[in-house]
Amino acid sequence: MKKFLLLTVAFLMLSTACSQKKKDIAKPAANVEPVKTEAVESVEKIAQTEIDDGSFHLTVHFNKERALIDNGTAKPYKAETPFDVVTNMKNGWNLGNTFDAIGGSGNGSETSWGMPYTTKEMIDELAASGIKSIRIPVSWVRHVEDKNYTINPAWMKRVKEVVDWAIENEMYVILNSHHDCAGKNTAIKYGQGYYPTKQNSLESLNFLVNLWEQISLAFNNSYDEHLMFEVMNEPRLAGTNYEWWFDQNSSQCKEAAEVLNMWNQVLVDTIRSSGGNNAKRVIGIPGLQASPDSSLKAEFVMPEDDAKMLAHSVHMYTPYSFAMESPGETVFTEAHKKNLVSYFEGLNYKFVKNGYPVYVGEYGATNKNNLDQKVAWFSFFNKNAQKYGIPCFLWDNMQFKVTGTDGNRFNEKYGFYNRNTRTWFEPEILAAIIENTK
């Protein structure tokens, strides 16, 4: 524990230094330029402290000549509480398997998982259909271009372009770090992202802090409360028996929770230190796996935030037997309803009642050729989430057609909005969502 207390102190020292520098103000987001001022000089510091097993060095040192900066017309930030943002999101949709894809190279990774190139027309039609918010999952680690964790500016500019299209439609936007969690429990190296163990905390934080410093520079004063940050997606002990569940009797799980709590605090401090609208922007905070089973445990705690502008993020493909398992169950039952209600009540009790709005960053029911049951599930899910002001973001990988004859024929068929035709595969599901999120 001593190590992590000292580590947090080091980051607080870094944040204090950062907060003493004035960030550049924005210009129209389409015009993005390299940093040419002292805006990032304060983050080119080395935070160093002695820990019980040697010296700890964290360096925020991305290439300031390559970083993008938001320096245009400032927008007033009108939200006074995180509830002003999250409850107004109403309903949401994920641009899945797109910027989060990790195939291909450079900007070509956007289409490497079979999705079409994202266009303004797609986003326009999505908004016109009644979707109020969009979550844009982005994987960044493959777009780091040097040993200083510098993000390729072409990638950042392309992400900004799509964010701007959504905001032009008056949609709320969640921007995150997605498939950046390393895939196995080993000593990770530079360029492998993060992994929630003490062994990997230094390399993980070098990546995460440099990443969020750069995102904070690229998105600041020209983005009002319609933009929200989400620091990680499903951080987990990948490649272990605890990848998707939390065991309170496991020292491995407890360590991961302790590490993640500390990371969440450091990343909140990092974003806040960038000043401007980021000093009060809503930040989404996940637990392990982004699972409510994990975040409802006592081991998970929300970070401290002087701005009091935090929200809690969970994912709910619930109940698993109906929403994801193949073949699983095809009928939405009373037992399933009780299961959902218990989760929403738990999230309300631990988070909403204590000042932290909750949003379901991913949810959906895989296609099992059971449209009527899916409509019932979507209606019940959104109606009960809305009781507590919880918006839900539909996961969409555009995989709709059920194929094959084996037991996996229903596996992850989360296709809802056809981006090629800009129409919905099953309009009945869209109607159920809209009707229950008014």
Side-chain angles (χ1 to χ4, degrees):
M1 185 63 182
K2 178 183 176 184
K3 178 186 296 188
F4 295 100
L5 290 174
L6 289 169
L7 179 55
T8 302
V9 170
F11 275 101
L12 291 175
M13 291 167 60
L14 178 64
S15 298
T16 300
C18 293
S19 66
Q20 293 171 352
K21 294 289 185 178
K22 183 177 180 181
K23 296 292 181 181
D24 282 16
I25 312 175
K27 71 181 173 185
N31 299 317
V32 180
E33 298 180 352
V35 176
K36 297 179 180 179
T37 71
E38 296 182 355
V40 296
E41 299 225 349
S42 62
V43 299
E44 291 184 312
K45 305 286 186 183
I46 298 178
Q48 177 180 336
T49 187
E50 294 295 318
I51 55 176
D52 51 6
D53 59 351
S55 294
F56 170 80
H57 296 267
L58 171 74
T59 307
V60 181
H61 55 182
F62 56 88
N63 185 346
K64 66 180 181 181
E65 296 300 324
R66 297 285 287 167
L68 301 184
I69 188 167
D70 172 20
N71 59 357
T73 304
K75 289 185 178 180
Y77 196 96
K78 300 176 183 178
E80 296 182 357
T81 75
F83 292 94
D84 294 338
V85 175
V86 175
T87 58
N88 284 332
M89 289 178 165
K90 298 296 184 183
N91 60 60
W93 176 87
N94 276 273
L95 185 65
N97 286 25
T98 305
F99 292 123
D100 54 314
I102 54 174
S105 61
N107 281 20
S109 64
E110 177 181 347
T111 57
S112 66
W113 282 1
M115 296 300 102
Y117 185 82
T118 306
T119 65
K120 186 176 187 301
E121 289 73 21
M122 290 179 193
I123 306 302
D124 291 346
E125 290 292 340
L126 182 72
S129 71
I131 296 298
K132 302 297 183 184
S133 306
I134 181 171
R135 182 171 177 258
I136 301 181
V138 183
S139 300
W140 302 91
V141 73
R142 287 175 56 86
H143 299 278
V144 170
E145 65 178 19
D146 60 24
K147 293 297 183 180
N148 295 322
Y149 306 91
T150 304
I151 301 298
N152 186 303
W155 183 247
M156 185 74 80
K157 186 174 182 178
R158 173 60 177 151
V159 172
K160 282 175 69 73
E161 182 176 44
V162 178
V163 169
D164 291 346
W165 290 339
I167 289 178
E168 287 168 10
N169 278 288
E170 299 184 349
M171 303 175 83
Y172 286 88
V173 177
I174 297 176
L175 180 63
N176 83 346
S177 167
H178 206 76
H179 292 305
D180 293 325
C181 184
K184 58 183 178 180
N185 185 17
T186 186
I188 63 172
K189 301 177 181 178
Y190 167 84
Q192 295 180 322
Y194 62 82
Y195 197 88
T197 58
K198 293 180 180 181
Q199 176 188 32
N200 290 307
S201 199
L202 173 57
E203 176 58 38
S204 298
L205 281 172
N206 268 314
F207 166 70
L208 287 166
V209 170
N210 277 278
L211 170 64
W212 281 104
E213 286 282 358
Q214 291 174 83
I215 295 173
S216 295
L217 281 173
F219 297 87
N220 198 329
N221 282 336
S222 67
Y223 297 86
D224 63 13
E225 66 273 9
H226 283 82
L227 176 65
M228 174 176 160
F229 293 155
E230 178 184 274
V231 294
M232 284 171 279
N233 173 78
E234 298 179 346
R236 62 194 187 275
L237 293 167
T240 75
N241 292 332
Y242 304 112
E243 180 168 6
W244 295 112
W245 67 291
F246 186 86
D247 182 354
Q248 285 183 296
N249 295 315
S250 164
S251 60
Q252 193 174 12
C253 289
K254 289 182 178 180
E255 177 185 316
E258 179 185 8
V259 170
L260 182 61
N261 287 339
M262 185 269 287
W263 289 0
N264 282 334
Q265 183 65 65
V266 168
L267 295 179
V268 168
D269 294 342
T270 297
I271 293 167
R272 294 290 180 244
S273 73
S274 64
N277 282 347
N278 290 338
K280 50 196 169 184
R281 190 172 309 286
V282 177
I283 303 173
I285 304 297
L288 288 170
Q289 312 104 22
S291 165
D293 287 311
S294 293
S295 62
L296 289 173
K297 299 291 193 300
E299 285 78 3
F300 174 78
V301 295
M302 291 289 282
E304 295 182 3
D305 180 29
D306 289 342
K308 299 187 184 304
M309 294 292 280
L310 303 180
H312 181 53
S313 168
V314 296
H315 295 174
M316 290 179 61
Y317 298 93
T318 309
Y320 173 79
S321 60
F322 177 85
M324 182 175 283
E325 187 178 22
S326 179
E329 300 178 83
T330 59
V331 177
F332 182 48
T333 67
E334 290 300 315
H336 296 159
K337 293 179 181 179
K338 291 179 180 178
N339 182 240
L340 284 172
V341 168
S342 68
Y343 277 118
F344 288 126
E345 289 178 344
L347 292 167
N348 177 61
Y349 182 79
K350 180 171 180 177
F351 298 103
V352 178
K353 286 189 173 182
N354 288 292
Y356 302 108
V358 174
Y359 65 96
V360 179
E362 294 181 19
Y363 82 119
T366 189
N367 184 16
K368 298 181 181 180
N369 289 325
N370 57 338
L371 176 58
D372 60 333
Q373 296 300 305
K374 284 192 296 179
V375 168
W377 183 86
F378 275 102
S379 297
F380 188 87
F381 195 107
N382 281 281
K383 182 178 181 179
N384 281 270
Q386 284 293 303
K387 289 180 181 179
Y388 307 110
I390 299 176
C392 305
F393 287 73
L394 183 64
W395 181 254
D396 197 334
N397 59 14
M398 219 174 79
Q399 303 302 307
F400 171 74
K401 187 177 180 181
V402 175
T403 58
T405 57
D406 61 13
N408 292 320
R409 62 190 182 277
F410 305 133
N411 190 41
E412 295 198 28
K413 303 297 182 182
Y414 294 107
F416 299 97
Y417 177 61
N418 188 332
R419 301 176 215 174
N420 291 314
T421 62
R422 302 196 298 277
T423 58
W424 289 79
F425 289 111
E426 296 173 319
E428 297 89 341
I429 288 179
L430 173 64
I433 293 171
I434 301 300
E435 177 62 28
N436 289 280
T437 56
K438 291 181 178 177

